[in-house]
Amino acid sequence: MHPDLIVIYTDRLDACHGFYTSLGLTFTKEQHGTGPEHYATELNGSVFELYPASARRPATGSLRLGLTLPAGPHTPPVGRYTHTDPDGRTVVLTITQETHSMTTAQDARKAIHHTFGDTAHSDIRTLPAGNLAITITKNGHAATIDGHDGTGWGWTIDPAEGDGFTGHENISPTLDEALTSVRAALL
């Protein structure tokens, strides 16, 4: 069994919507019949809604809420964060790394888009040994990443001229972890 519906009633609907959106949630504005306009999103099969408080449904009081989201272009880096929403509720946000098996340039493109969205430019080359050589540019900076799932992923931010894809100081076991680290470094 898992919860399939969480509803928070608030006197600060717009502030709470902004807060939860800033954590990486994407809401749809809804209204059922003549009921109040509210915000809803789906979290791994559970519905999470923000409703305006009323005399019939007063503001939800003290609550500790735990949310787990996969890393993406609108979330903080992988990790665990404790926040307080506009109504004083504790929100523990866990950002997890969604892993992908990296065997092709096409798979790498999908993982880069998942991590960066449309905010970065990437160039991907497949080397003769089957490893991938990736360059990501964003905000006037460049990151080089190379490797394969079997060997690990080395990455460098703004490598010196002529460094190419060798001598990385940073190593990650998966491309997803390397991309998350690069994203955090390029922000």
Side-chain angles (χ1 to χ4, degrees), residues 103-106 109 123-134 148:
T103 56
T104 68
Q106 182 178 0
R109 273 188 203 58
D123 177 58
I124 303 169
R125 292 182 294 139
T126 302
L127 301 176
N131 290 4
L132 298 180
I134 302 168
H148 194 275

Side-chain angles (χ1 to χ4, degrees), residues 29-63:
K29 195 171 199 175
E30 295 183 346
Q31 183 175 16
H32 307 294
T34 59
E37 286 188 346
H38 61 280
Y39 297 98
T41 188
E42 187 176 323
L43 301 169
N44 297 326
S46 297
V47 175
F48 178 57
E49 296 179 318
L50 302 172
Y51 265 82
S54 66
R56 187 169 158 247
R57 302 259 193 241
T60 305
S62 181
L63 173 74

Side-chain angles (χ1 to χ4, degrees), residues 9-87:
Y9 296 94
T10 177
D11 292 319
R12 293 176 274 240
L13 183 62
D14 290 334
C16 282
H17 173 253
F19 169 79
Y20 287 99
T21 298
S22 76
L23 296 181
L25 278 69
T26 303
F27 289 91
T28 302
K29 195 171 199 175
E30 295 183 346
Q31 183 175 16
H32 307 294
T34 59
E37 286 188 346
H38 61 280
Y39 297 98
T41 188
E42 187 176 323
L43 301 169
N44 297 326
S46 297
V47 175
F48 178 57
E49 296 179 318
L50 302 172
Y51 265 82
S54 66
R56 187 169 158 247
R57 302 259 193 241
T60 305
S62 181
L63 173 74
R64 184 176 176 97
L65 182 63
L67 301 172
T68 299
L69 300 171
H74 303 292
T75 65
V78 170
R80 186 176 176 143
Y81 306 88
T82 300
H83 299 279
T84 303
D85 82 2
D87 290 332

